[in-house]
Amino acid sequence: MDGMADDMDRKRMTRILARADRRDVAALAAEIQKTHAPIVVKEPGKTLAMIKMREPVKESLFYIGETVVCEASVEIGGVRGMAVLMGGDPEKTLDMAIIDAAVNKGVFTGAATLLALEKGQLERIKRENAMHLKTMVNFESMDRGSDDLAADKKTRF
Amino acid sequence: MAYVAVSGGEEAIEESIRLLDFYRSGTDKDLETEAIENKLSLLVDRVMSEAGLYAKTLAVLALKQCEGSMEEAVFLLRAYRSTLTRNYYTRVVDTEGMRLTRRISAAFKDIAGGQILGATYDYTHRLIDFDIGRETPAALRRRIAETLAAQAPEDITPCPRVSAELKKEGLIDGFAQSDQAPHDVTVHTLEFPAGRSARLQTLSRADTGFISGLAYSALRGFGQAHPTVGELRCGYAELCLPYPLDETESVYIGEIMITEVECFNAADGKNQLGLAAGYGAVFGRSETKAIAMAVLDRELEAGGPYPAQDEEFVLTHGDSLEMNGFISHLKLPHYVTFQSKLDAVRKRRSAP
């Protein structure tokens, strides 16, 4: 994607935008609109996405259920962009579509902002993870003299 | 003649609907939707799971609208969902790579990645905390924010499944990945024998009480022997779609909290030396339901004479909307059919 780091693919970009506060996404879209006039191709609207899973017993696919998503599509200088986002936030979805179109057109200049947002998001997630890892159990065998320990080593993986 | 339409009662019905507001109006205190979503999240999870629709904001509104009735909230979500098109199917969700918040095994004490208790009521004293009634929400939030800020960030490390190792050792049968399109019970009628995908989808959106009771019956002797929870994991799984403008790329649309369980039983019949697994996966933090689903998956796979092993019995009686709807219909006027029953009894009594 033009103007982005080599390892910034669309999945990573949309993950950052989806996790971001809507005001941050709006600010990025507003920056684009200062110099470009996006045309809304598809107004934000709700639809469903069916969630496909793979179960580990027979390695087959099944549907666990659906989720509500909002979708929107815009065009900048004849180049399309679109966004699909869980939940029902039409403004944020439209702003994400504008950013997507700007990326496709090669006129997006907010790469550094995306990285800064991602840094903050990852830090929060990693701090939450630290809280959860504090609940990791350290088992100690109560019966070191028996064969149980040997048996236990066999099943340790 | 089984059914005869009756008319009348329109005004009473309208007043009855208005009267529902009386029952919602008992205090000036509001039940803020943000508070329901963040403080009654297990209830919200259950509504989403039984509705088969992961939509927190809508589940919260539904709960508030119907005074917290599970069956009404599920009905509202299902009804809402039926008004929308379905334009997307996600890519296959990678639950092995999910961001774990809890992961335990009752089968092995040492598992790769470790056992993470996460947030659980399992070890709490079940004593009512009377201080909760005087709790200051802002103080609670501030305390947790301070705790979070004090953490040293820890990298997220996905954990392999416990069953993967047993498969490597040949203790559990391994299967080649199948990409056969799943059956969708929301589009196609459930037929018997049901495919595995239809079974799992039906169980995942089933009423929690119904499948928990059935799984309990299997454990108490109306089914196979006591299974072992090989792994129970809760966490956030990412949802991605093919990018509509270039399907070789993916877009992230959000994440869902799910609970996943694998239960192990001794394999029966010809394979006495192996183990067999049952699988459960449900929306939200719903551990009992996920375990019950895994137990029933295995019971249905094995088959047998008990209710929990009867596919048609299990899969056709556990849908919240259908079972509550059918039971509710008993409240509607049956004047003609009941009159006919009454007439038959009177005739029999008066017969010489």
Side-chain angles (χ1 to χ4, degrees), chain B residues 197-243:
Chain B
S197 58
R199 176 201 298 169
L200 295 178
Q201 187 184 13
T202 304
L203 290 174
S204 186
R205 58 198 250 127
D207 182 89
T208 307
F210 177 79
I211 66 167
S212 300
L214 275 177
Y216 180 44
S217 76
L219 303 184
R220 286 195 65 248
F222 297 90
Q224 299 185 97
H226 188 297
T228 304
V229 173
E231 185 174 4
L232 181 153
R233 48 165 71 198
C234 288
Y236 295 97
E238 293 192 348
L239 300 188
C240 294
L241 300 177
Y243 179 48

Side-chain angles (χ1 to χ4, degrees), chain B residues 31-84:
Chain B
L31 197 55
E32 292 177 14
T33 52
E34 186 181 325
I36 300 174
E37 181 174 337
N38 290 285
K39 301 201 173 198
L40 295 179
S41 53
L42 297 180
L43 180 66
V44 175
D45 284 353
R46 185 164 170 179
V47 171
M48 294 194 300
S49 172
E50 294 182 13
L53 185 69
Y54 199 99
K56 279 190 182 178
T57 312
L58 296 172
V60 166
L61 285 174
L63 278 166
K64 186 172 180 180
Q65 181 178 331
C66 62
E67 303 173 67
S69 162
M70 181 64 56
E71 65 192 73
E72 287 294 332
V74 168
F75 200 154
L76 288 169
L77 280 198
R78 290 269 183 95
Y80 178 81
R81 171 244 160 233
S82 73
T83 66
L84 297 177

Side-chain angles (χ1 to χ4, degrees), chain B residues 85-155:
Chain B
T85 57
R86 185 197 292 161
N87 291 351
Y88 300 102
Y89 287 78
T90 67
R91 292 208 188 277
V92 178
V93 176
D94 175 18
T95 56
E96 193 159 352
M98 70 185 185
R99 179 157 60 90
L100 293 169
T101 56
R102 171 162 162 79
R103 178 189 188 236
I104 54 162
S105 173
F108 303 102
K109 71 180 178 67
D110 294 308
I111 51 178
Q115 300 214 29
I116 304 161
L117 296 182
T120 175
Y121 290 99
D122 287 352
Y123 307 103
T124 60
H125 292 294
R126 265 62 173 216
L127 302 172
I128 291 177
D129 178 0
F130 291 97
D131 291 339
I132 289 280
R134 295 185 292 275
E135 187 177 64
T136 313
L140 171 67
R141 194 162 163 71
R142 195 166 48 245
R143 177 165 61 82
I144 296 302
E146 285 167 5
T147 308
L148 188 63
Q151 304 296 315
E154 291 271 4
D155 285 338

Side-chain angles (χ1 to χ4, degrees), chain A residues 16-27 89 92 117 121:
Chain A
I16 296 167
L17 293 172
R19 285 176 172 169
D21 188 288
R22 64 202 302 265
R23 287 167 296 189
D24 292 324
V25 178
D89 189 336
K92 186 175 175 184
L117 288 172
Q121 292 164 2

Side-chain angles (χ1 to χ4, degrees), chain A residues 56 66 71 100 127 134, chain B residues 54 81 88 151 167 179 243:
Chain A
E66 295 164 303
E71 57 174 352
D100 192 60
R127 284 185 200 281
K134 286 209 165 86
Chain B
Y54 199 99
R81 171 244 160 233
Y88 300 102
Q151 304 296 315
K167 281 178 189 168
D179 289 327
Y243 179 48

